[in-house]
């Protein structure tokens, strides 16, 4: 059983909650509602991070803000992901979760696309007061570049490490990391990564932040500097988000060792 103090960080990928094939923000409202209801059944300490999907990737690409400074494009992209965040926070509150939107644009400083600073005290005080902070992939201020695109995949391990989280769940649109025959790989460790890397691709749709390989690399790095276990699973299957939150290990586990 989990003790009450342990923190779980859950990411819901943009391809689950939006139609990522679209050129403009298109929310999957039914999926957002279902996932919010699954989360509502969980009453321990939780941080949610969601992806941007079609509310962020097409805009970031259109204004070429991944590598080039464009204040207008940055604002348009930020306002768009903020809209998705409002939809998710509203659905969570409707389902009974005391969710608060936290925009990385307002609390993160990056340097050459990597997080240098995040205002964590506010987030941990929210968790201590039984709120659920809901962060998201965003455009953030960047000391080197002016602004840069920050993926939720980078926020998750950053937060998990500093908040001393116990488990990470990455709810994606796939059953986990798949091998060459489409079967879910059970566990990825630093020892078997080299062999597994050839199976892992980027993303099928417009994705400026690295797809599945980006996720695995972030989580593998984290597993080497902590004891946090991460699970990449399919959040599009009803029951998987609540299953993960109630302690089931589903999808692909990413951990330091085989055990
Ligand atoms: C991307 O965030 C942020 C922007 C494009 C502004 P994520 O990398 O977390 O989004 P998904 O999960 O791939 O959609």
């Amino acid at each position: 059983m989990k003790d009450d103090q342990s923190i779980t960080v859950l990411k819901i990928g943009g391809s689950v909650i939006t139609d990522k094939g679209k050129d403009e923000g298109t929310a999957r409202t039914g999926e957002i509602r279902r996932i919010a209801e699954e989360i509502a059944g969980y009453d321990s300490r939780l941080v949610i991070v969601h992806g941007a999907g079609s509310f962020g990737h097409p805009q970031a690409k259109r204004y070429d803000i991944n590598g080039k400074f464009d204040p207008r494009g940055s604002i348009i992209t930020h306002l768009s992901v903020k809209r998705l965040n409002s939809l998710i926070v509203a659905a969570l509150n409707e389902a009974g979760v005391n969710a608060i939107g936290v925009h990385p644009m307002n609390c993160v400083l990056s340097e050459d696309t990597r997080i240098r600073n995040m205002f964590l005290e506010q987030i941990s005080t929210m968790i201590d007061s039984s709120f659920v902070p809901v962060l998201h992939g965003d455009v953030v201020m960047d000391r080197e570049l002016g602004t840069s695109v920050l993926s939720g995949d980078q926020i998750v391990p950053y937060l998990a490490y500093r908040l001393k989280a116990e488990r990470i769940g990455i709810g994606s649109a796939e059953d986990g990391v798949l091998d060459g025959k489409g079967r879910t790989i059970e566990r990825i460790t630093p020892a078997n990564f080299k062999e597994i890397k050839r199976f892992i691709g980027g993303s099928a749709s417009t994705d400026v932040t690295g797809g599945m390989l980006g996720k695995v690399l972030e989580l593998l790095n984290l597993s080497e500097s902590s004891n946090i276990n991460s699970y990449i699973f399919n959040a599009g299957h009803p029951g998987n988000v609540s299953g993960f939150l109630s302690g089931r290990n589903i999808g692909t586990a990413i951990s330091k060792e085989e055990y």
Side-chain angles (χ1 to χ4, degrees), residues 166-230:
E166 199 173 89
R167 281 170 99 230
I168 291 177
I170 305 286
S172 75
E174 286 167 39
D175 289 342
V177 181
L178 308 179
D179 69 11
K181 293 187 172 133
R183 293 171 306 205
T184 305
I185 296 167
E186 213 169 292
R187 186 174 295 273
I188 301 178
T189 66
N192 73 6
F193 178 63
K194 242 178 147 174
E195 177 197 321
I196 282 168
K197 189 169 177 238
R198 65 197 161 101
F199 298 127
I200 312 175
S203 168
S205 42
T206 314
D207 192 319
V208 297
T209 51
M212 189 61 91
L213 185 60
K215 289 185 218 318
V216 172
L217 285 172
E218 297 282 357
L219 298 172
L220 208 55
N221 261 337
L222 178 71
S223 77
E224 291 186 281
S225 54
S226 73
N227 285 318
I228 303 171
N229 291 333
S230 305

Side-chain angles (χ1 to χ4, degrees), residues 11-15 18 20 49-57 60 65 77 81 136-139 149-153 207-209 215:
K11 184 185 174 197
I12 304 294
S15 42
T18 77
K20 217 168 163 176
V49 179
H50 64 80
S54 55
F55 285 77
H57 290 281
I65 56 169
T77 309
V81 288
H136 54 91
D138 201 354
V139 182
V149 175
L150 175 64
S151 171
D153 297 338
D207 192 319
V208 297
T209 51
K215 289 185 218 318

